[in-house]
Amino acid sequence: MGIVLGERKPLSAIRVASDQVPELADEYFIAGFNKYIDPGIDVIAGKRDAIQQFTQAIQLSSNYGYAYFMRADSYAQVGEFQKSLVDYNQAISLQSNNVNAYNNRGNLKKDKLNDSQGALADYDQAIILKPDYALAYVNRGLLKAAKLNDSQGGLVDCNRAIQINPQLTNAYAARGLIKAAQLNDRPGGIADLRQAASLARAQGQTQLLQNILGVLSQLGVTE
């Protein structure tokens, strides 16, 4: 049972203030961000174009932490995971309080680099920096349940995420998976997955909704 989880931040939430970097570097960053958000029909080509724009920004301003952060995410999406890791490392070295960088680096380590302990450390740090970071709790919960043989710990993290943000679709989906697949609580898992499906519909999360419905179908439930 798999669900793709993710979160996209608006430009205002991740962009460094324009007076901290040269104007031209900021222009390249914005162009890269726009291409990242709307890569076009050829998604991989669009993401590579975004990488080029972020690289131009970095060449003009070597301490442009958010450009490293966005290039790291872009590299991950085109399958260049080691380059992604290098850029996340650099982003964090420049901005040690960038909770999104810790969370995303944790995802990279968990899903692509087979580094569960490194992922756990990153999620822990994201939560230390931002104790109400609901998505980091979800990601840490999935890590605990799927790779660290700690289903109860995963459940606790998902419960905390829902307490922080009762509208977070991913939290119900993750908790449903843990209950149904690992805690022998099929009714509870189905209830959570149904709630996740309802939230996904209401929030227009089409791809996530399809993933959730696929898991429910595997459980013999038709929505």
Side-chain angles (χ1 to χ4, degrees):
M1 300 178 187
I3 286 184
V4 177
L5 303 177
E7 180 179 60
R8 291 285 173 260
K9 295 290 183 183
L11 180 55
S12 61
I14 66 168
R15 182 183 166 198
V16 71
S18 60
D19 61 354
Q20 293 179 311
V21 296
E23 182 177 352
L24 185 56
D26 218 28
E27 291 177 3
Y28 278 117
F29 176 83
I30 293 168
F33 186 88
N34 289 335
K35 195 65 179 178
Y36 171 93
I37 291 296
D38 185 13
I41 296 175
D42 188 338
V43 175
I44 298 299
K47 297 294 184 180
R48 291 197 178 280
D49 187 11
I51 288 169
Q52 292 177 358
Q53 300 295 328
F54 295 135
T55 299
Q56 291 284 350
I58 290 166
Q59 289 174 346
L60 289 166
S61 181
S62 61
N63 64 345
Y64 202 157
Y66 283 118
Y68 283 104
F69 170 74
M70 290 305 304
R71 193 173 70 172
D73 201 42
S74 301
Y75 273 134
Q77 292 191 29
V78 300
E80 297 193 39
F81 304 125
Q82 288 298 330
K83 289 182 179 180
S84 177
L85 179 63
V86 169
D87 273 359
Y88 279 132
N89 292 345
Q90 183 64 13
I92 288 169
S93 74
L94 291 167
Q95 296 175 315
S96 59
N97 63 344
N98 187 336
V99 296
N100 295 316
Y102 282 106
N103 178 71
N104 289 13
R105 190 174 71 176
N107 291 342
L108 180 71
K109 290 176 178 178
K110 172 173 67 73
D111 297 330
K112 303 300 182 182
L113 300 179
N114 194 30
D115 181 6
S116 296
Q117 290 302 322
L120 181 63
D122 278 343
Y123 297 139
D124 287 346
Q125 184 61 25
I127 290 167
I128 288 170
L129 291 169
K130 192 174 188 293
D132 63 348
Y133 194 172
L135 189 61
Y137 280 102
V138 174
N139 291 330
R140 190 175 72 176
L142 285 171
L143 171 70
K144 288 178 178 178
K147 298 193 174 184
L148 297 178
N149 195 30
D150 184 10
S151 299
Q152 286 295 337
L155 182 66
V156 168
D157 276 349
C158 290
N159 289 341
R160 177 59 180 147
I162 291 168
Q163 182 183 33
I164 294 168
N165 183 1
Q167 301 301 309
L168 184 57
T169 308
N170 293 338
Y172 290 97
R175 192 172 71 175
L177 284 171
I178 293 170
K179 287 179 178 179
Q182 298 188 350
L183 294 178
N184 196 30
D185 181 8
R186 187 173 182 275
I190 290 172
D192 276 345
L193 289 163
R194 280 178 163 159
Q195 177 64 14
S198 177
L199 288 170
R201 284 194 188 94
Q203 296 170 12
Q205 299 170 306
T206 305
Q207 185 57 60
L208 183 55
L209 173 60
Q210 292 305 312
N211 292 338
I212 294 166
L213 293 177
V215 175
L216 282 168
S217 178
Q218 292 179 45
L219 292 171
V221 178
T222 302
E223 290 290 297

